[in-house]
Amino acid sequence: MTQQNRLANGGLIDRKRQLTFTYNGKRYTGYEGDTLASALLANGVDIVNRSFKYSRPRGVVAAGAEEPNALVQLGATESTQVPNVRATQQALYEGLVAKSTNGWPNVQRDLMGMVGKMGGSFMPPGFYYKTFMAPASMWMTYEKYIRKGAGLGRSPTENDPDTYDHLHQHCDVLVIGAGPSGLMAALSAGRRGVRVILCDEQEEMGGSLLDSRELINSQPATRWVSDTLDELNQLDNVTVLSRTTAHGYHDHNFVTLHERRTEHIWDRATPANGRPQVRSRLHRVRAKRVILATGTHERPLVYANNDVPGNMIAGAISSYIRRYGVVPGNSLVLSTNNDHAYRTALNWHEAGRKVVAIVDARPSPKGTLVDQARALDIRIISGSAVIEGKGTNRVSGACVAAIDPAAFKVTGKVEELECDTIASSGGYSPVVHLSSHTGTRPQWNSEIPAFVPGEVKGMTPVGSVTGVFDLKTAFDTALSAIDHALEEAGDTSSSKVTEAPQVDAIQEGPCCALYQVPHTKTTLRAPKQFVDFQNDVTASAIEIATREGFESIEHVKRYTALGFGTDQGKLGNINGMAIAARILNRSIPEVGTTVFRPNYTPVTFGAIAGRHCRDLFDPERYTALHQWHVEHGAEFEDVGQWKRPWYFPKTVNGKKETLDEAVARECLAVREKIGILDASTLGKIDIQGPDAREFLNRVYTNKWAKLAPGRVRYGLMCKDDGMLMDDGTTSCLAENHFLMTTTTGGAAGVLEWLEVWHQTEWPELDVYFTSVTDHWATMTVTGPDARKLMEEVTTDVDLDRESFKFMDWKEGTVAGVPARIFRISFTGELAYEINIQANYAMKVWLELFDKGEKYGLTPYGTETMHVLRAEKGLIIAGQDTDGSVTPEDLGLQWAVGYDKPFEWIGKRALTRPDTSRKDRKQFVGLKPKDANVVLEEGAQIVLDPNQSIPMAMVGHVTSSYYSAHLKRGIALAVVKGGHERMGETVYLPMADGKVHEAEIVSPVFLDPKWERQNV
Amino acid sequence: MFHIHCPYCDEYREEEEFHPRGQAHLARPATPDTTTDDEWGGYLFFRDNERGIHHELWVHSVGCRKFFNITRNTATYEIHETYKMGERPSVTAENLPDSQHQSGVQAATSGWQTVGARPESASLNQEEQV
């Protein structure tokens, strides 16, 4: 294929470096410096997509981020697929592979187009809502086919092979946009020595200067751009980020930048200097001052058939001609309401192609550019506009007529001009998106007419985003913005080292307000006039929406889908608002503006995730004994970030034990001989200070005044609403020194809880808290033979039943290592919890196994721990409680000090009417009538299984296991008024229709006299 | 994402280092036992939900672990000040410039909510700073 639309000269492309690429399976050529869109236009590819709803052929409309049509699926391999890439922003590289994302079976011959053609009027706004609503159950079926027809891009089915970085940056001045005002601001700030970041989303920096006809210092504008960039690149205090989109503007001048480092080279990250590099970087920038130099987007005019390929916005045509040496047609009609767009006709003319006419909506256009066009004998039809485009797959003509924009009427005869390209310009909308991200509403400026950025603290908009379009003012506002910003920041070096370059003044006449162009027929009867190309929203759709009562622009937007595409309505939103305003007979600012939200253009998930994926997604915490567990085949359970051994399956006769088999074996070992648990993950908080005891008295429900050194006590911690929050033991290490344990998951929360009370409520108490969870490894040796094993590993601790009692702790050595030994039990068996400095834990653990083998020492995991404690009716905070359970509900009144002098946290709430109700859900045991049944955790409990649905539920199962020791299923539950219901039968209806029967019993299933732990 | 000045570290740090802990200056009744159920319920469950000036308790959870207060505008997200435990806010509904009232910003009647900023506690907090 030849590049028939490529000019012989001109543009910023490198004609010596030809590139081949594949689009929809066909091979084409382009040049280094092209975008995919410019290369397609050079090759005369008119149709790049099928429209979303009507399946109409669509061509390239724009040249930048605002492009609604030319969305492609990029990537040569499955793992490198990227959906919905704007061809206008994708640099061409050798071997690029792209497909249009829309159109089935293909864009040239599209089946869905049949529906569009015959169904135009059958698809009003809200079509999907209205048509596919009933029956509701069928929506899932409809949706599958609708999506296929709509055919947005698809995500890859293989893992992304690339890596991505996050960078945290701080700067004095962040300049967003490297057009004339952005470059000027960056240069001025850079020369004054402050830290500057300059970013621009395009392949090249320079913005509008890249296709400017104007001279700067009597040289082409691109020369000033490259000189300025050269200087900026040499300044150490300036970071220049090209191909970098500022996509989100958050609180307090926090701006996220997406820097694409390799996407212009290949579809996966290429090595740099022989080393792998990241595909893109996400810069998280905290800027003292943001200079918003984001420029404008040109608005197209809304006229009939304005979506036929060959209709483009005027400025885009200038870009293609001057930046890429591509003229996307042969004969041009320009429809405009302003002087600026005349440049397009002048560029077209200079490229040697025919300008059929400039159709200007203003009755008597005047200005430098108008004069230049007249001097070239270009026909100017004033007071008129293109009211309709002709053609199906490509523009073949333009209907032009005199119009009265204010009265919204065609006032003259319609003339049809032959052409293959229609350029339109309805004015310039400042790119206010980023400022809107902060929550600031844009302000309407009736002179341009368009929205300009609202006020954002720490941000200064400069250049055309402020609604001032001439180059001289752009430079001047940029310089004064920097002076002002640095002065405000206390920079006294305000010697003006930078002056604005010389530019020729261009006289431009005022534009006139024109959005939708009137047609000889009414909007509803005229051929479709598109407002939002990506979502196929027409002027008549907006009219219908307002007629149906959707008057707020936010409602119109949702009903019609205006601005809901991946382009967020960059081209169409203001035109849509203007149409709604006209029909509602209000002004545009009265109709309001919609809110732009991050991201400005789509950001890949890879960039957002950065390194926070796979192994680095979340930290994993290992105990000091983790390696031993791995080597002994433990299955692990995640408890918070901890990896805890869940159970230790053995291989018996070549078969690995199941969870149930392993747990049964581990349980019996503890009940009959001896087991060992790595309990290191339990939270441990070291509490010291003269008021430590008083503090414990206030945060725990029970009494601490008389706990002597060497003693341990179980404590309940409530919130001030009286609900249990956490439990654990606290040991008195010395008069002013305690060691508190918490649940594994509750450790951080409990520490913060202690701190908040100490710091905000009782700062007068002299006490401090230190987390020592990781400092100590904890091993629980438990079972009838526990003392025998302990006697073998410790020589200096008196283990006698009478002198080392239950709830005592002693200091000594275990396996020659200093240790704290606690006689506390979570199994109901004789138990010693040994705390060892974590670094020495493995030696002790190994010695325990060395000596313990003859007793049948069995390692057990969290599952066995759960079963053993459930047999004893011991709660797990967070499993058997859920933030609505009081100590009294749990039957733990013995651990509540009602008569303590200080009104401890949670006490007052226990006498509120709700907490003292008799029918609160109370903690009980459940014995299934069928011993083999293991109830489902979470199963609901009813008193009468024969009642009608919905049944009155009186409680639910909180824990349930098979007890190998008791040879039956056991469960813990909460039941309304359960403490008074001992012996009653309750029912548990299951989803499959089965109903289990169970008896309410004491939660202590085994050894109700608690003798086993004292053997 | 907020940029928060920790009054104890005396530095601006990123929001990721902090945790919000809800409304500041909530008074825990001094003698709970003699407090009515209504008063106790109000302390437990009722919070302001202002569009405008709001005093909040935050903790520098992965920094100095100190609790402190923020006066923040919930409509604009502007942080007017941060102050230590035991100190009083200088920006309140009462002294907010009229211009901000006129622009539709409401402000909580900050009144004098005591806890966490009891004046007599100020010296104790400062002593802790070594």
Side-chain angles (χ1 to χ4, degrees):
Chain A
M1 268 238 161
T2 55
Q3 301 182 34
Q4 69 257 39
N5 286 334
R6 184 78 70 178
L7 295 170
N9 304 298
L12 307 175
I13 47 164
D14 184 354
R15 286 182 177 72
K16 287 192 206 90
R17 303 188 62 183
Q18 186 170 299
L19 305 171
T20 56
F21 66 102
T22 309
Y23 176 69
N24 283 340
K26 257 191 181 166
R27 286 169 72 82
Y28 299 94
T29 58
Y31 294 118
E32 180 88 30
D34 262 326
T35 62
L36 176 57
S38 70
L40 288 171
L41 288 171
N43 285 284
V45 176
D46 290 335
I47 303 172
V48 296
N49 242 327
R50 285 279 165 174
S51 76
F52 183 72
K53 186 163 152 187
Y54 303 115
S55 209
R56 290 165 66 111
R58 291 281 165 80
V60 176
V61 165
E66 68 273 37
E67 172 62 35
N69 291 337
L71 302 181
V72 298
Q73 178 87 19
L74 197 72
T77 61
E78 183 54 37
S79 63
T80 55
Q81 293 293 306
V82 184
N84 301 329
V85 174
R86 291 159 307 286
T88 50
Q89 291 195 296
Q90 176 59 51
L92 195 67
Y93 53 77
E94 177 62 32
L96 180 146
V97 177
K99 276 194 298 219
S100 49
T101 53
N102 221 321
W104 176 60
N106 64 56
V107 287
Q108 299 298 329
R109 183 179 300 279
D110 186 296
L111 286 178
M112 288 296 286
M114 303 292 288
V115 181
K117 265 182 203 151
M118 61 162 217
S121 55
F122 298 116
M123 292 179 86
F127 172 76
Y128 291 111
Y129 299 130
K130 289 168 178 167
T131 312
F132 296 106
M133 274 306 285
S137 61
M138 281 299 285
W139 170 247
M140 299 302 280
T141 312
Y142 296 138
E143 196 198 12
K144 227 189 297 180
Y145 292 97
I146 292 167
R147 287 220 182 273
K148 182 164 184 170
L152 285 169
R154 64 180 187 87
S155 46
T157 56
E158 290 176 10
N159 279 348
D160 189 335
D162 292 321
T163 50
Y164 303 80
D165 269 344
H166 286 178
L167 274 72
H168 296 257
Q169 309 267 28
H170 295 263
C171 66
D172 295 298
V173 178
L174 168 65
V175 182
I176 302 172
S181 52
L183 285 172
M184 192 79 256
L187 187 63
S188 168
R191 282 179 181 169
R192 289 175 64 170
V194 298
R195 283 187 299 172
V196 178
I197 295 176
L198 170 68
C199 70
D200 189 278
E201 63 172 345
Q202 297 200 38
E203 290 298 312
E204 279 168 279
M205 292 195 157
S208 63
L209 296 178
L210 294 172
D211 54 49
S212 172
R213 300 170 57 82
E214 291 175 55
L215 299 179
I216 297 178
N217 294 337
S218 311
Q219 302 253 21
T222 46
R223 176 68 183 273
W224 182 81
V225 172
S226 57
D227 288 350
T228 305
L229 283 172
D230 283 348
E231 186 175 342
L232 287 172
N233 279 320
Q234 277 171 18
L235 291 170
D236 287 341
N237 55 318
V238 178
T239 306
V240 178
L241 297 174
S242 52
R243 301 185 182 92
T244 302
T245 308
H247 57 86
Y249 191 161
H250 309 271
D251 306 313
H252 307 167
N253 269 2
F254 182 72
V255 185
T256 43
L257 314 178
H258 181 213
E259 180 193 9
R260 297 167 300 277
R261 294 177 62 78
T262 67
E263 287 170 24
H264 60 293
I265 305 171
W266 181 235
D267 72 350
R268 62 167 297 184
T270 46
N273 307 322
R275 302 171 65 178
Q277 65 172 327
V278 294
R279 182 185 178 107
S280 70
R281 287 174 174 169
L282 193 73
H283 298 261
R284 299 154 58 91
V285 182
R286 185 69 73 175
K288 285 197 181 131
R289 172 70 56 167
V290 169
I291 301 291
L292 191 72
T294 46
T296 59
H297 286 147
E298 195 173 21
R299 288 193 298 273
L301 290 169
V302 179
Y303 49 91
N305 288 335
N306 59 338
D307 68 324
V308 175
N311 285 287
M312 296 175 75
I313 52 175
I317 292 177
S318 287
S319 291
Y320 287 117
I321 295 173
R322 295 189 66 91
R323 282 181 67 177
Y324 306 104
V326 173
V327 200
N330 291 304
S331 49
L332 174 81
V333 169
L334 168 69
S335 187
T336 180
N337 68 346
N338 64 76
D339 277 13
H340 197 88
Y342 275 64
R343 289 170 167 87
T344 302
L346 299 173
N347 289 330
W348 190 279
H349 181 84
E350 272 169 29
R353 310 253 169 130
K354 189 180 172 194
V355 178
V356 178
I358 297 173
V359 190
D360 195 321
R362 298 167 299 177
S364 46
K366 276 194 274 292
T368 313
L369 298 166
V370 181
D371 293 342
Q372 286 179 20
R374 286 211 174 96
L376 294 169
D377 277 338
I378 294 174
R379 183 184 172 194
I380 298 175
I381 310 172
S382 58
S384 302
V386 170
I387 65 165
E388 182 176 338
K390 291 288 178 188
T392 308
N393 286 338
R394 174 79 198 201
V395 169
S396 61
C399 298
V400 174
I403 57 160
D404 179 347
F408 195 65
K409 254 181 17 204
V410 172
T411 56
K413 253 184 65 189
V414 178
E415 180 187 356
E416 186 168 336
L417 302 172
E418 210 170 288
C419 65
D420 65 2
T421 306
I422 302 172
S424 77
S425 175
Y428 301 85
S429 302
V431 179
V432 299
H433 303 67
L434 287 171
S435 70
S436 298
H437 291 175
T438 63
T440 304
R441 292 268 169 171
Q443 305 293 314
W444 182 253
N445 176 339
S446 56
E447 275 173 36
I448 18 175
F451 287 102
V452 294
E455 205 176 301
V456 178
K457 200 177 174 190
M459 180 199 83
T460 316
V462 298
S464 59
V465 76
T466 63
V468 179
F469 300 133
D470 77 284
L471 200 49
K472 171 122 185 45
T473 320
F475 286 138
D476 290 344
T477 56
L479 290 174
S480 63
I482 291 297
D483 285 341
H484 183 70
L486 296 189
E487 242 166 62
E488 217 173 67
D491 186 314
T492 47
S493 69
S494 61
S495 56
K496 284 206 172 132
V497 288
T498 310
E499 277 182 27
Q502 292 300 311
V503 289
D504 292 333
I506 294 179
Q507 293 297 324
E508 289 196 10
C511 70
C512 75
L514 181 64
Y515 309 94
Q516 183 191 358
V517 179
H519 194 271
T520 51
K521 297 177 182 167
T522 65
T523 301
L524 293 181
R525 299 205 169 270
K528 288 192 166 31
Q529 302 165 308
F530 283 93
V531 178
D532 179 328
F533 294 104
Q534 197 175 95
N535 279 349
D536 264 1
V537 179
T538 61
S540 66
I542 294 170
E543 193 168 321
I544 291 170
T546 52
R547 276 197 200 171
E548 292 187 9
F550 295 91
E551 297 196 355
S552 153
I553 193 65
E554 296 285 359
H555 291 162
V556 170
K557 185 178 161 182
R558 276 152 186 82
Y559 194 51
T560 61
L562 171 72
F564 270 91
T566 58
D567 62 346
Q568 286 196 44
K570 291 187 176 70
L571 287 182
N573 271 4
I574 291 193
N575 283 334
M577 281 177 239
I579 292 165
R582 177 176 60 73
I583 297 164
L584 296 168
N585 216 359
R586 294 188 197 148
S587 69
I588 292 177
E590 278 170 349
V591 169
T593 172
T594 58
V595 179
F596 294 108
R597 293 196 171 83
N599 294 322
Y600 172 69
T601 46
V603 181
T604 59
F605 279 113
I608 292 166
R611 304 272 179 172
H612 302 284
C613 56
R614 301 187 184 106
D615 290 347
L616 300 180
F617 178 67
D618 197 31
E620 284 180 3
R621 297 177 75 181
Y622 301 140
T623 73
L625 308 168
H626 184 78
Q627 191 55 35
W628 189 93
H629 304 322
V630 172
E631 283 164 10
H632 289 75
E635 296 289 336
F636 288 91
E637 179 183 27
D638 290 336
V639 183
Q641 290 171 333
W642 287 105
K643 292 278 173 199
R644 295 196 68 177
W646 187 16
Y647 60 101
F648 291 84
K650 273 191 173 173
T651 302
V652 185
N653 300 331
K655 258 188 74 183
K656 198 168 141 184
E657 284 177 330
T658 63
L659 169 68
D660 290 343
E661 289 163 354
V663 168
R665 174 180 51 75
E666 291 171 12
C667 284
L668 292 175
V670 173
R671 290 275 179 247
E672 291 162 11
K673 293 180 207 156
I674 184 168
I676 186 166
L677 173 77
D678 176 4
S680 306
T681 63
L682 279 187
K684 303 174 205 73
I685 301 170
D686 189 274
I687 302 175
Q688 299 193 42
D691 294 321
R693 192 179 290 274
E694 172 61 18
F695 191 87
L696 292 174
N697 251 329
R698 297 182 182 190
V699 297
Y700 272 132
T701 62
N702 45 343
K703 297 183 187 175
W704 297 86
K706 291 186 181 142
L707 187 73
R711 289 291 288 162
V712 184
R713 186 163 289 171
Y714 172 72
L716 297 175
M717 209 177 276
C718 286
K719 297 211 166 174
D720 230 345
D721 60 4
M723 303 302 158
L724 186 83
M725 169 187 149
D726 206 85
D727 68 342
T729 60
T730 292
S731 309
C732 184
L733 302 182
E735 188 51 40
N736 296 335
H737 189 183
F738 293 83
L739 180 72
M740 175 186 282
T741 64
T742 73
T743 55
T744 298
V750 169
L751 181 61
E752 192 173 299
W753 179 250
L754 302 181
E755 289 284 3
V756 73
W757 283 94
H758 179 229
Q759 291 183 34
T760 71
E761 196 69 23
W762 307 315
E764 69 277 10
L765 294 187
D766 198 354
V767 57
Y768 53 95
F769 317 97
T770 311
S771 167
V772 293
T773 303
D774 298 85
H775 305 45
W776 297 93
T778 304
M779 318 165 192
T780 305
V781 177
T782 182
D785 291 337
R787 189 176 287 113
K788 285 188 211 154
L789 174 58
M790 290 302 292
E791 277 165 350
E792 288 200 41
V793 291
T794 179
T795 51
D796 54 356
V797 178
D798 179 1
L799 294 164
D800 183 78
R801 183 170 179 270
E802 296 309 320
S803 52
F804 193 172
K805 290 200 285 286
F806 184 61
M807 296 307 253
D808 278 350
W809 80 273
K810 286 186 192 292
E811 209 153 14
T813 57
V814 174
V817 179
R820 290 171 178 167
I821 306 170
F822 302 80
R823 253 204 73 189
I824 50 184
S825 174
F826 200 42
T827 60
E829 299 297 328
L830 176 65
Y832 298 90
E833 278 197 7
I834 310 167
N835 278 15
I836 300 284
Q837 267 193 56
N839 292 357
Y840 297 92
M842 187 64 95
K843 173 190 156 56
V844 175
W845 182 265
L846 291 175
E847 182 134 339
L848 285 167
F849 273 93
D850 193 35
K851 299 275 181 353
E853 207 182 340
K854 56 182 170 294
Y855 302 109
L857 182 65
T858 302
Y860 66 92
T862 52
E863 190 66 21
T864 293
M865 175 186 85
H866 281 202
V867 177
L868 294 173
R869 64 89 202 178
E871 288 170 349
K872 294 297 298 174
L874 297 166
I875 60 158
I876 290 187
Q879 172 157 347
D880 300 298
T881 70
D882 59 3
S884 69
V885 180
T886 67
E888 294 167 351
D889 296 339
L890 292 165
L892 294 174
Q893 284 84 345
W894 59 267
V896 178
Y898 294 99
D899 55 350
K900 282 199 286 182
F902 190 87
E903 288 159 47
W904 40 273
I905 303 170
K907 182 189 179 194
R908 174 65 184 81
L910 294 182
T911 52
R912 293 184 71 239
D914 185 62
T915 39
S916 48
R917 272 189 295 121
K918 288 277 176 240
D919 64 341
R920 290 183 61 82
K921 287 185 179 177
Q922 294 166 337
F923 184 65
V924 295
L926 285 185
K927 246 185 192 171
K929 290 272 163 84
D930 178 347
N932 290 319
V933 164
V934 177
L935 298 172
E936 255 180 52
E937 288 180 357
Q940 293 293 326
I941 297 166
V942 301
L943 298 177
D944 170 13
N946 299 317
Q947 59 187 308
S948 60
I949 294 171
M951 297 188 186
M953 295 173 285
V954 298
H956 62 271
V957 175
T958 59
S959 297
S960 177
Y961 311 93
Y962 184 78
S963 163
H965 182 77
L966 299 168
K967 298 191 173 57
R968 63 162 12 270
I970 58 166
L972 301 172
V974 287
V975 177
K976 280 185 183 171
H979 291 160
E980 304 293 323
R981 292 182 181 279
M982 288 299 150
E984 287 183 25
T985 299
V986 292
Y987 302 88
L988 299 103
M990 305 309 298
D992 62 3
K994 260 188 216 147
V995 177
H996 296 306
E997 264 182 77
E999 184 193 342
I1000 297 184
V1001 295
S1002 155
V1004 185
F1005 292 90
L1006 171 76
D1007 182 25
K1009 291 190 176 156
W1010 301 86
E1011 284 162 344
R1012 300 174 69 107
Q1013 64 194 13
N1014 282 319
V1015 294
Chain B
M1 197 170 74
F2 295 163
H3 206 209
I4 299 172
H5 180 262
C6 172
Y8 292 98
C9 300
D10 198 16
E11 269 186 42
Y12 277 94
R13 311 292 297 186
E14 298 296 326
E15 185 182 329
E16 286 158 330
E17 294 189 9
F18 300 87
H19 257 170
R21 288 292 305 236
Q23 188 173 334
H25 306 303
L26 287 176
R28 185 179 200 252
T31 52
D33 277 355
T34 57
T35 305
T36 65
D37 283 342
D38 267 4
E39 283 168 336
W40 190 256
Y43 155 68
L44 282 184
F45 303 121
F46 287 81
R47 299 292 180 265
D48 293 338
N49 185 19
E50 297 302 330
R51 183 179 185 278
I53 297 296
H54 195 239
H55 306 290
E56 297 171 343
L57 181 65
W58 285 66
V59 56
H60 196 180
S61 44
V62 293
C64 63
R65 284 177 46 210
K66 285 285 192 182
F67 287 81
F68 63 93
N69 291 327
I70 289 181
T71 304
R72 187 171 74 87
N73 186 318
T74 59
T76 64
Y77 291 5
E78 186 180 350
I79 291 178
H80 292 284
E81 60 180 339
T82 60
Y83 51 100
K84 294 176 183 175
M85 281 301 120
E87 294 177 351
R88 296 187 58 164
S90 67
V91 179
T92 60
E94 291 76 18
N95 65 19
L96 196 70
D98 278 351
S99 59
Q100 290 206 39
H101 284 298
Q102 282 157 12
S103 65
V105 173
Q106 307 163 354
T109 47
S110 73
W112 179 229
Q113 307 155 311
T114 51
V115 177
R118 281 198 178 116
E120 69 270 20
S121 305
S123 57
L124 290 159
N125 269 292
Q126 276 148 22
E127 269 174 21
E128 284 194 342
Q129 284 212 289
V130 184

